[in-house]
Amino acid sequence: MRTTVGIIGAGPAGLLLARLLRNAGIDSVVLESRDRAYVEQRQRAGILEQGTVNVLRAAGAGERMDREGLRHDGIELRFAKRRHRVDFPALTGGRSVMVYAQTEVCKDLIALQLKEGGPLLFEAEALAVEGADTGNPRVRFRYEGSEDVLECDYVVGCDGFWGVARKAIPSELSQAFERTYPFGWLGILADVAPSHDELVYARHDRGFALLSMRSPSVSRLYLQVPEGTDAEAWSDDEIWAELERRFETDDDWTLARGPITQKSVTPMRSYVHEPMRHGRLFLAGDAAHIVPPTGAKGLNLAVGDVVTFARALTHEKETGSPELLDAYSATCLRRVWQAERFSYDMTTLLHRLPDATPFEERLQLARLERIAGSRAAETDLAEGYTGFPFG
């Protein structure tokens, strides 16, 4: 099998890249180790930056998002029982975000790929990327019980942190930057209408909490918990009681309860691999970088990566110049590090460290007071949350 671009991974990054390339007249093949049902059901991110929304629309993948997604023009910061709303459009020249789950993005892109795009092979396990530093890289993969080879001009690894793509970059050329956090997020899905019409980020002495949603009738909520927590160790009543404590305000706001349909614990870490390119192998999304979910940047960073690659390859096709492809890693990493910085700032602003001193806790409150009282500080948060430019 041969193609111009071999794409490993059918998450939102790989699927969107295939769509962008198809629209530019460039053929591709997507290899996904899981089955279609798994890809369309795995719960991940739910906040799309303005730039991501614009890209999906321009790619022809925004119809259902615009119909069913929830546009949000701000978030609420909650601390010391006080509430402060950050107005995105007023601070950013009109930008907003969209609540639309990654599962739905994948469903939309899969349907388009199967209808209009190139081959999308589910249960096709990539085994290795070979010849990345040659003019003819290839992907060895297992499909329908036998091994095969996908010959490519380029390979893009959208196969996540544990995938094979990054392993093809020699260790002597690689540098990793990493931070792990001593806490995680206990996340729940609940069949109850959200108790607020925008996301609520709460800093509390007992730990962070987040009120989010998946739809007008399904709430997504999170609690900061110690690293290694077992989600099943928390009863439903304990979860709701703790959420109520951390979201408490001085006014008459109340948290609505409902049946919890899913529980899970998400670990918190920051990770960046440099470079994001080796020869004709390019890394995108979690294969190259991970952010804690506090800043809602993971999916959006992946979109930025594949937009950068698609633009660069289209430029080479049209002009013959590899200039943008050669700059891929540096271009992506500028945006990646800004997102890492923003996610780190949000995480340290809102979470309680197990060994925090009273001085450090007062500094957290001072930082929140600064955002609530300074348009400049508030604008910096709004610009970071709604997204950094692509490329």
Side-chain angles (χ1 to χ4, degrees), residues 43-335:
Q43 292 290 332
R44 293 291 189 273
I47 305 296
L48 307 182
E49 295 174 355
Q50 183 71 68
T52 297
V53 169
N54 295 345
V55 166
L56 289 170
R57 287 172 178 159
E63 180 181 353
R64 193 165 70 94
M65 173 190 69
D66 283 329
R67 186 173 66 250
E68 300 179 11
L70 306 174
R71 172 181 162 140
H72 281 200
D73 287 335
I75 59 172
E76 181 174 290
L77 298 177
R78 198 169 288 190
F79 60 99
K81 297 185 180 181
R82 293 170 47 199
R83 303 167 64 180
H84 176 76
R85 181 175 185 266
V86 180
D87 186 330
F88 293 156
L91 296 163
T92 65
R95 298 209 304 265
S96 62
V97 297
M98 183 80 76
V99 175
Y100 191 63
Q102 176 175 313
T103 50
E104 306 311 307
V105 173
C106 287
K107 289 175 186 176
D108 296 342
L109 291 169
I110 287 171
L112 286 170
Q113 184 71 7
L114 294 177
K115 179 181 178 182
E116 304 172 2
L120 167 54
L121 306 183
F122 290 103
E123 299 182 86
E125 180 188 5
L127 302 174
V129 177
E130 300 172 342
D133 56 352
T134 72
N136 297 288
R138 56 197 174 274
V139 182
R140 282 196 301 108
F141 67 100
R142 183 181 295 110
Y143 182 61
E144 295 183 340
S146 61
E147 284 195 20
D148 203 344
V149 175
L150 178 61
E151 303 282 352
C152 317
D153 293 332
Y154 305 92
V155 176
V156 182
C158 305
D159 52 344
F161 183 80
W162 302 107
V164 301
R166 192 176 66 252
K167 298 174 184 176
I169 300 179
S171 59
E172 62 270 19
L173 302 179
S174 299
Q175 191 171 13
F177 303 86
E178 187 170 13
R179 166 145 190 180
T180 57
Y181 299 87
F183 46 76
W185 279 11
L186 170 60
I188 65 166
L189 278 175
D191 286 338
V192 61
S195 300
H196 194 61
D197 55 3
E198 293 177 335
L199 273 68
V200 177
Y201 288 78
R203 184 267 178 205
H204 193 276
D205 289 343
R206 295 175 64 90
F208 168 75
L210 171 63
L211 186 157
S212 182
M213 65 280 296
R214 282 295 178 262
S215 74
S217 61
V218 176
S219 293
R220 183 76 161 150
L221 300 109
Y222 298 93
L223 284 170
Q224 176 187 344
V225 293
E227 182 182 22
T229 293
D230 177 5
E232 297 305 320
W234 285 71
S235 71
D236 292 6
D237 285 342
E238 287 172 332
I239 291 172
W240 286 118
E242 189 62 25
L243 286 166
E244 288 171 347
R245 289 188 194 99
R246 298 189 193 184
F247 285 125
E248 184 181 6
T249 63
D250 281 332
D251 58 20
D252 59 357
W253 183 90
T254 58
L255 178 68
R257 295 190 179 198
I260 294 176
T261 60
Q262 186 182 110
K263 300 178 192 175
S264 62
V265 173
T266 302
M268 304 282 282
R269 63 189 303 224
S270 302
Y271 175 87
V272 179
H273 180 278
E274 295 186 6
M276 289 176 58
R277 177 201 179 180
H278 173 56
R280 292 192 170 217
L281 166 65
F282 298 77
L283 303 181
D286 286 0
H289 42 72
I290 293 172
V291 289
T294 325
K297 291 288 165 246
L299 168 60
N300 296 290
L301 273 183
V303 169
D305 294 343
V306 299
V307 167
T308 301
F309 177 81
R311 286 176 179 170
L313 189 57
T314 301
H315 179 75
E316 184 188 52
K317 176 187 175 186
E318 294 175 347
T319 69
S321 170
E323 177 184 6
L324 297 185
L325 284 172
D326 291 342
Y328 171 82
S329 184
T331 301
C332 290
L333 284 169
R334 281 193 293 272
R335 189 168 185 271

Side-chain angles (χ1 to χ4, degrees), residues 364-385:
Q364 273 188 323
L365 292 171
R367 290 167 65 191
L368 286 161
E369 293 279 5
R370 173 66 176 170
I371 292 168
S374 164
R375 186 176 179 86
E378 194 178 26
T379 298
D380 184 61
L381 187 154
E383 288 180 344
Y385 199 97

